[in-house]
Amino acid sequence: MKGRPLLCTISATVVLAALAALDSSGYSARLEAQRTLGAIRGRVDVRRAVTATERRPLPAELGFPAGRDVVGMRRAVVYLETAPATALDARDPGRGRLDQRNETFLPHLLAVDVGTVVDFPNNDSTYHNVFSLSKAKRFDLGRYARGKSKSVRFDRPGVVRVFCDIHSHMSAFVLVFSHPFYAETDEDGRYRIDSIPPGTYTVAAWYEGSPRDTRTITIPVQGGPVDLDFIIQ
């Protein structure tokens, strides 16, 4: 009877030590996996002439319509065509925003996860009616005035082209992905996709009105960034 407390104490110590060893081993494995993750970075150089359909000028603008965001229309999306099987962890899709300002969708191109809710606020003095006939998402938000906002949940991957039923010159794109391995280019055309496990992948660059440009690239076993540029002509 007197030896049981000591035996229990020894057993508990052994179990705790074993659990600590397992936890340490798991932590080390996770840390090592993070160290070997790679990245793809580079630039998408859009060399073709980009023009935007001008909106009808308002009376107060004295016949001089405000210019469209041509810089925004040069942006592209770079992504992995197939996601790594070991990296399909679920994540909160969050929320996106496509503003309507100066009779223009801002941004012109938006990339989101499947399940993302995108808000379409109206910041113009006129009514808008946002809609899409795309296979990935078909919707019609109806007319709504300045200061109002409506939203859409994008629940399938694909390319969704967005229009305004009132203003024919307005259009935008929402690219919906079922994995997190994508990136929009910035104003200089640069992009970076992080946390990619080692392996060989097909990388695609998507730009409005162009066939996708695809390349094959390998993330080495030691991880680290790999450079990859695209040229759109």
Side-chain angles (χ1 to χ4, degrees):
M1 296 293 293
K2 293 182 180 180
R4 288 183 179 177
L6 179 59
L7 180 60
C8 292
T9 301
I10 294 174
S11 299
T13 302
V14 172
V15 171
L16 289 174
L19 290 174
L22 288 173
D23 182 72
S24 175
S25 176
Y27 175 77
S28 298
R30 292 193 299 271
L31 185 60
E32 184 61 26
Q34 291 176 357
R35 287 174 178 169
T36 59
L37 291 178
I40 300 173
R41 65 187 181 186
R43 186 169 184 268
V44 179
D45 184 7
V46 180
R47 297 184 178 178
R48 68 174 53 176
V50 178
T51 58
T53 303
E54 295 294 343
R55 66 177 176 82
R56 294 187 299 273
L58 299 175
E61 293 171 339
L62 302 176
F64 295 95
R68 299 281 301 285
D69 180 18
V70 175
V71 173
M73 296 184 70
R74 287 185 177 276
R75 293 189 177 180
V77 176
V78 181
Y79 59 93
L80 301 188
E81 286 205 328
T82 303
T86 58
L88 291 178
D89 297 330
R91 66 175 186 175
D92 182 5
R95 205 169 185 101
R97 180 185 178 97
L98 256 180
D99 202 352
Q100 298 160 88
R101 188 182 299 274
N102 192 31
E103 294 185 11
T104 304
F105 286 114
L106 298 173
H108 180 69
L109 173 62
L110 180 66
V112 300
D113 291 350
V114 165
T116 298
V117 174
V118 176
D119 297 313
F120 293 88
N122 183 358
N123 288 290
D124 279 331
S125 57
T126 182
Y127 278 78
H128 285 299
N129 184 347
V130 184
F131 76 98
S132 178
L133 301 177
S134 303
K135 291 182 179 179
K137 190 66 179 181
R138 186 185 182 104
F139 63 90
D140 189 334
L141 299 183
R143 298 190 176 196
Y144 55 104
R146 181 187 183 98
K148 302 294 184 180
S149 181
K150 295 189 178 184
S151 60
V152 176
R153 183 177 184 272
F154 291 85
D155 45 15
R156 293 177 56 190
V159 178
V160 181
R161 190 164 191 183
V162 180
F163 297 96
C164 175
D165 192 42
I166 302 174
H167 306 97
S168 60
H169 58 272
M170 292 178 63
S171 69
F173 290 89
V174 179
L175 271 63
V176 188
F177 292 92
S178 58
H179 63 74
F181 299 98
Y182 62 86
E184 299 175 19
T185 58
D186 62 17
E187 293 183 357
D188 295 323
R190 301 195 176 279
Y191 74 92
R192 183 182 176 107
I193 305 173
D194 288 309
S195 303
I196 306 174
T200 299
Y201 304 97
T202 299
V203 185
W206 184 96
Y207 177 75
E208 174 183 357
S210 298
R212 291 173 305 160
D213 188 1
T214 60
R215 311 282 178 83
T216 299
I217 198 168
T218 299
I219 301 294
V221 293
Q222 69 270 23
V226 177
D227 294 318
L228 180 64
D229 294 334
F230 295 87
I231 296 176
I232 306 295
Q233 300 196 29

